[in-house]
Every structure is written in structure tokens, then in C-alpha cells.
């Protein structure tokens, strides 16, 4: 996950911003708009470092003091951005060059939770945001210890391991419901957070915060909703085939009383706390007569790879394409393993502290295939951040936020058996008879995620717009999960629960549509890089490791940052102006044929 750049302002920033705002007294002109934006970008670039540092410390040393410091810095920043964005509205009525007009929009969109103009409310909003983030990071489920004395308390990592390793439905249910208790106290704070965020968004000229989020895609907000629906319809048949197959196999494992033949699947059975990715239960659904293949987790462990070694391997893929190595400070300042002496937010993320070379990732890496992919994802952010460092401040971002999330994953798609043999992790490349097994394992994460990636913001957009009222928060959440995922809660839920905030991105207010779009874009990017490398075989067998032509094409996209509409940047990268689920369909085509054969005579859908 990218810790998205937020414009930061300390005391100096507030004074400077006030001067900048008051200086705009005469009628608006293009020249004045140009000067306004140049001063705003310069100020914000200088001020951003302090809050980036405060946020890094707060997430890596969770205490009341670091929460307060982060909240204070973010509050100052939010107020400064709000004042600048309000002052910028005076230029709304004049014709500006496209690049400059784009910067004015990006200024307004710089905050995922824009503060109200009222200083007290702005401070309250920041306190709510930082507090929910921290509560998520230290969330624990406690129960009487098996010894009968004292309590046993487990955090998300330990509870997730139960879902990965256990096949006892009672143990799975206990871990699932235990984690979902940690978000209950957030519910009243989240309701107030929505009220204040909407107030800030309306002050910037948007209907609500959801409309503001959707405005960041170089198209009218309603068009983004339609575009997401179009992409979902492209990939939905593949998901339905996978869901039906997995439901049948889980029914064989747990019995028809728990997993019905044609219904929703209980959410605690997927090996993942949110049922968003299913790869951890691959052994339960693997083809019964599978050809010999490999287990990447075992390969990494057999080689004695440690956490930093996994990160070095990810870096080596990028450098093989022609990118410069990451700076030494990346290795000394990043967090690669969970500390034993303090609480941290283990959710993987990437940060660009100084908007130049102080790149870092934060991960509690475990030696397994999932984290091997994740570290490639996070370093994708780092290489992207460095590539666009010469752009002006407001253009230092992805072409859209889905681009930023897609880059590292496009690289991870190239971690094929051919690549693994090249880097010494695999002795022998499996033949094509093992492709179905490899594709099914990939689909259990890549395809399974698609509806979850779509529905998280579907829920929030409805919450922000008022279509979903606070008294229906939880019911609406599960209605969407049933509609899109075909997943049900494993035990009765009510409005006393607040299950959405058991997901980090809701508790921390991180927009989520980017991840759905990234799942589409990463396959589009991957296909384009394979074509650039001259690959002509089945798409799922392509690796472009070491190919400088593919690296040059990728570098051009990264260096452009957010300087042009994403449609133009996508066209230069892929030859296509629209996001397209067709690359996913092409990649998984052999699997789709196989799934449909396995599902013959079984219900598909729910």
C-alpha cells in the first residue's frame, strides 16, 4: 500500500498560506493563477517532510505521544490545504492551460479526509483519523488462557495464522469473530468522521467525500462508477467459475451443513480475515490429479532467505530492467520485520519521506510466497516515487492511484517458473501440464480479490452520500459482500457490530477503488511489457526479467507521474486508452476452461 502523499503544514506553513491567500486581492488572471500555484507547490513541498516523518514515527512506535504528534502535524497540514484549496476556487471561472487546471484539481484532492473550515472541527477530524488508525494497529482479541489462569491476547498476525493453518471450523470462527470485535468501539467515531469529512468536501465544492474521491480519475465522478462496473462485468464470469469450484471443494472439506451447494460461502473459511484473497486454502482446492509443481514458500525457506533477502531479490528484478539500485538509506531506515519491543502498524506500506531519495517500506515480513509478492508490490511504489521526483510537487504521484498500486504487482506477475530458475530458486521448470495448478494458485488471490476490491468503496460511497444511514452500516456491508463476493458472515451480525472497520483501509480512511483498478491495470501493464520484450508464448508464462526494452517502457510511464491524464499515459504504455479486463481473461484462459469442466453439473452463482 502506498502511504499517499499528503500536503503537510506546520506553523510556518499556516502563516505562509495565510499570506498567499491574502495576496490574491485583484481579479483572477492566468498569470496570477500560475504564480499562486507555483508558490503553493513550493510551500507544500517544503512542509510535507515534517508530517511524513511524524506519520512514519506514529506507525512504527505506537504511543499516545506519537499519536498526538502525528495528529498535530496532520491537523496543521489539513488546515493549510483547506485554506489553499478554498483560495484556489477564485480561479475556477477562468480558462487555464490544461496542465495548470489539472494542478488546481489535484490540490483539492490532496486530502482523503478534507477538514472543515472550522478549526475546532478540523482538529477533531484529525484526532479521529489518527486514533482509529492507531486502534487498529494495537487491536487485540483476548480470551481466557488455555491454562485456566490469566488471559491469552492475540493480534491480527496471530489470528490470521489460525485462519491459514487450522482446518477446525470452531477455531476458525473464534479467530474471525475475535478480530471483528476490535472495530466495534470505532463505530460512533466513524459516524462523526463521516460527518466532518463530508463537511470538508462540500466546502471544496464536492457533493460529498465519495464524489470527491471519484473526481480524481480524469472523468466525471459518476463516470468512474460506470467504468468500475464495466470492468467488473468483464471479469465477473471468471470469478463466478472460481467461486463455484471453491464452494464445491470447501463443501467436501466441511460438509453441506456449513457450505451449501448453491449458496453463500461463510467468510471464515477462506484462510484470510476478510475473505479477500484465498491462496492460503489452495491445498484444499488443488486439482486432485495435479501434475508436479512447486511451493514457492518452501523454496524460499529452503534457500535460507531472510526478510531483507526477500527485499533484495525484489530490488534485483527492477535493477535487471535498468533501474538504479535503491539508496542505502532505504535499507537502513525501512522496517522489514516486526519488532519484539513495541507496537507497530504491520500493514505493509511504502513511504517517500522527502519527496526525493528517502524511500522506505514498512512490512512485518514472513518468509512465504505471499510476502514475497507483497515486497515486490511495495518496492514498486518506491521505484515509482523515485522515478517522478523531478516532476513538480502536485504531479509527484501515479497517473491515477490504481497505477501506483499496479506497478509492483505487474512485476510480481513475471515471477514465473522461468524466472525462479534464472535466480536459482527453482532447479527445473515444470512443463505445461502443471499450468492449471499454477494458474489456480494465482487466481485464488488475483481473481478472488476483484469483487472485494470493488465493494469496499461501494460501501463508503453510499455512506458518504447518505444512501446508507448509520443505523444500517453493518447490514449494508454484508449485503454488498453477498452481492459481489458470494460471501456470508459466519455468525449472526447486527448493528452492534462494525465489521467494515475490521479492514485497515476503512479504519485508516484509505480509498480502496485503487486496488480494484490495480488488479486490472497490472495485467494490462504486464501484457504490454511482455509484448515489448518480444514474448510470444502463453501470457502466464512470460517473464521480462533482465529485458532493458521493457524496463525503458516502464520507466517512461513512471517518470510521467501524474503530469498528464492517465488515459494518455496508459496509451503510451499499452497502446490502449481504456482500462481493460481482457488481459486478465487472456492470462487465465486455460484455467477458465478447466474450471468450467470441473463445475459441470454444479450450480454457478448464488
Amino acid at each position: 500500500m502506498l502511504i499517499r502523499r499528503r500536503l503537510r503544514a506546520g506553523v510556518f506553513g499556516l502563516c505562509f498560506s495565510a499570506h498567499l491567500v491574502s495576496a490574491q486581492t485583484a481579479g483572477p488572471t492566468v498569470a496570477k493563477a500560475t504564480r499562486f500555484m507555483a508558490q503553493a507547490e513550493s510551500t507544500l513541498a517544503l512542509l510535507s517532510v515534517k508530517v511524513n516523518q511524524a506519520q512514519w514515527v506514529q506507525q512504527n512506535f505506537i504511543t499516545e505521544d506519537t499519536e498526538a504528534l502525528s495528529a498535530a502535524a496532520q491537523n496543521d497540514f489539513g488546515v493549510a490545504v483547506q485554506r489553499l484549496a478554498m483560495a484556489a476556487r477564485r480561479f475556477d471561472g477562468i480558462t487555464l492551460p490544461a496542465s495548470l487546471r489539472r494542478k488546481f484539481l489535484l490540490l483539492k484532492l490532496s486530502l482523503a479526509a478534507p477538514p472543515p473550515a472550522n478549526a475546532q472541527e478540523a482538529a477533531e477530524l484529525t484526532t479521529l483519523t489518527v486514533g482509529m488508525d492507531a486502534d487498529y494497529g494495537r487491536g487485540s482479541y483476548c480470551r481466557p488462557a488455555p491454562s485456566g489462569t490469566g488471559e491469552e491476547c492475540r493480534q491480527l498476525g496471530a489470528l490470521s495464522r489460525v485462519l491459514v493453518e487450522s482446518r477446525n471450523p470452531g477455531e476458525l470462527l473464534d479467530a474471525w469473530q475475535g478480530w471483528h470485535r476490535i472495530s466495534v468501539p470505532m463505530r460512533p467515531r466513524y459516524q462523526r468522521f463521516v460527518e466532518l469529512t463530508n463537511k470538508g468536501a462540500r466546502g471544496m465544492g464536492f457533493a460529498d467525500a465519495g464524489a470527491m474521491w471519484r473526481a480524481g480519475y480524469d472523468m466525471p465522478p459518476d463516470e468512474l462508477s460506470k467504468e468500475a462496473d464495466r470492468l467488473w462485468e468483464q471479469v465477473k464470469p471468471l470469478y463466478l467459475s472460481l467461486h463455484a469450484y471453491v464452494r464445491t471443494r470447501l463443501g467436501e472439506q466441511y460438509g453441506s451443513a456449513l457450505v451449501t451447494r448453491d449458496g453463500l460461502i461463510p467468510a471464515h473459511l477462506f484462510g484470510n480475515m476478510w475473505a479477500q484473497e484465498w491462496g492460503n486454502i489452495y491445498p484444499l482446492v488443488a486439482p486432485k490429479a495435479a501434475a508436479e509443481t512447486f511451493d514457492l514458500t518452501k523454496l524460499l525457506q529452503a534457500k535460507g532467505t531472510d526478510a531483507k533477502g526477500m527485499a533484495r531479490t525484489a530490488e534485483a528484478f527492477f535493477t535487471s530492467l535498468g533501474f538504479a539500485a535503491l539508496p542505502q538509506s532505504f535499507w537502513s531506515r525501512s522496517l522489514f520485520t516486526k519488532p519484539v519491543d513495541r507496537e507497530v502498524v504491520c500493514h505493509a506500506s511504502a513511504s517517500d519521506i522527502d519527496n526525493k531519495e528517502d524511500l522506505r517500506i514498512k512490512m512485518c515480513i514472513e518468509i512465504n510466497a505471499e510476502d514475497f509478492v507483497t515486497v515486490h508490490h511495495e518496492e514498486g511504489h518506491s521505484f515509482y516515487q523515485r522515478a517522478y521526483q523531478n516532476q513538480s510537487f502536485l504531479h509527484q504521484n501515479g497517473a491515477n492511484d490504481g497505477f501506483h498500486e499496479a506497478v509492483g504487482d505487474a512485476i510480481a506477475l513475471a515471477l514465473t517458473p522461468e524466472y525462479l530458475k534464472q535466480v536459482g530458486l527453482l532447479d527445473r521448470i515444470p512443463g505445461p501440464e502443471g499450468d492449471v495448478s499454477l494458474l489456480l494458485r494465482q487466481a485464488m488471490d488475483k481473481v478472488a480479490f476483484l469483487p472485494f476490491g470493488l465493494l469496499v468503496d461501494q460501501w463508503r460511497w453510499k455512506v458518504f452520500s447518505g444512501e446508507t444511514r448509520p443505523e444500517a452500516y453493518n447490514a449494508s456491508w454484508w449485503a454488498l459482500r453477498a452481492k459481489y463476493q458470494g460471501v456470508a458472515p459466519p455468525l449472526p451480525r447486527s448493528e452492534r457490530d462494525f465489521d467494515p472497520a475490521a479492514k485497515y483501509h476503512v479504519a485508516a480512511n484509505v480509498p480502496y477503488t485503487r486496488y480494484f483498478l490495480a488488479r486490472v491495470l497490472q495485467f494490462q501493464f504486464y501484457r504490454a511489457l511482455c509484448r515489448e520484450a518480444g514474448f510470444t508464448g502463453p501470457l502466464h508464462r512470460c517473464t521480462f526479467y533482465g529485458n532493458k526494452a521493457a524496463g525503458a517502457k516502464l520507466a517512461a510511464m513512471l517518470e510521467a507521474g501524474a503530469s498528464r491524464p492517465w488515459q494518455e499515459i496508459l496509451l503510451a504504455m499499452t497502446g490502449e486508452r481504456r482500462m481493460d479486463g481482457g488481459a486478465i481473461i487472456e492470462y487465465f484462459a486455460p484455467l477458465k476452461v478447466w474450471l468450467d469442466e470441473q463445475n459441470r453439473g454444479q450450480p454457478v452463482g448464488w
Side-chain angles (χ1 to χ4, degrees), residues 347-539:
H347 187 87
S349 62
S351 300
D352 178 9
I353 302 298
D354 66 353
N355 315 319
K356 292 293 182 184
E357 288 287 331
D358 192 356
L359 308 164
R360 308 178 191 180
I361 64 170
K362 173 181 61 63
M363 280 186 70
C364 300
I365 296 176
E366 297 187 9
I367 310 305
N368 57 43
E370 180 179 0
D371 282 7
F372 190 59
V373 170
T374 300
V375 76
H376 283 79
H377 172 96
E378 298 305 335
E379 289 191 21
H381 289 309
S382 299
F383 280 94
Y384 207 160
Q385 289 163 333
R386 187 172 62 181
Y388 56 53
Q389 65 176 274
N390 293 324
Q391 293 286 348
S392 59
F393 183 78
L394 286 171
H395 287 163
Q396 290 180 1
N397 215 325
N400 68 40
D401 53 12
F403 275 61
H404 228 306
E405 300 298 335
V407 169
D409 284 345
I411 297 298
L413 287 171
L415 306 181
T416 60
E418 290 77 5
Y419 161 78
L420 297 175
K421 187 173 187 303
Q422 280 182 275
V423 297
L425 281 168
L426 192 62
D427 293 332
R428 182 174 57 84
I429 299 173
E433 64 277 4
D435 283 5
V436 165
S437 296
L438 294 173
L439 287 170
L440 178 59
R441 185 176 292 171
Q442 275 277 56
M444 293 288 284
D445 287 336
K446 298 293 187 180
V447 177
F449 176 82
L450 290 164
F452 187 82
L454 184 65
L455 72 87
V456 173
D457 278 353
Q458 294 278 354
W459 180 80
R460 283 192 287 199
W461 293 344
K462 293 176 186 293
V463 167
F464 284 131
S465 72
E467 180 179 343
T468 294
R469 306 296 300 168
E471 57 270 20
Y473 276 175
N474 224 47
S476 175
W477 174 254
W478 285 107
L480 287 168
R481 297 198 66 181
K483 174 183 176 181
Y484 287 105
Q485 278 188 291
V487 165
L491 73 170
R493 311 306 284 165
S494 73
E495 293 306 322
R496 292 189 298 273
D497 302 302
F498 189 40
D499 296 328
K503 177 64 180 171
Y504 174 78
H505 300 75
V506 175
N509 193 46
V510 179
Y512 211 74
T513 298
R514 63 181 68 171
Y515 300 105
F516 171 73
L517 298 180
R519 286 296 161 106
V520 174
L521 286 166
Q522 66 186 253
F523 285 89
Q524 235 177 318
F525 294 165
Y526 171 72
R527 182 171 63 182
L529 293 171
C530 288
R531 289 171 176 171
E532 189 67 22
F535 184 81
T536 57
L539 184 58

Side-chain angles (χ1 to χ4, degrees), residues 276-303:
Q276 68 179 58
E277 293 176 327
W278 307 345
N280 290 323
I281 62 164
Y282 175 77
L284 296 182
V285 305
K288 294 179 179 179
E292 181 184 356
T293 181
F294 62 89
D295 184 325
L296 180 54
T297 295
K298 292 180 180 178
L299 294 176
L300 291 165
Q301 293 171 350
K303 193 173 182 180

Side-chain angles (χ1 to χ4, degrees), residues 40-55:
E41 285 196 287
S42 176
T43 301
L44 295 170
L46 290 171
L47 297 172
S48 66
V49 177
K50 291 188 180 298
V51 177
N52 291 341
Q53 291 171 326
Q55 188 176 33

Side-chain angles (χ1 to χ4, degrees), residues 160-178:
S160 293
R161 278 193 291 276
V162 174
L163 297 183
V164 172
E165 298 170 1
S166 177
R167 298 297 178 253
N168 181 314
E171 293 178 354
L172 298 176
L173 181 60
D174 177 68
W176 188 94
Q177 62 84 25

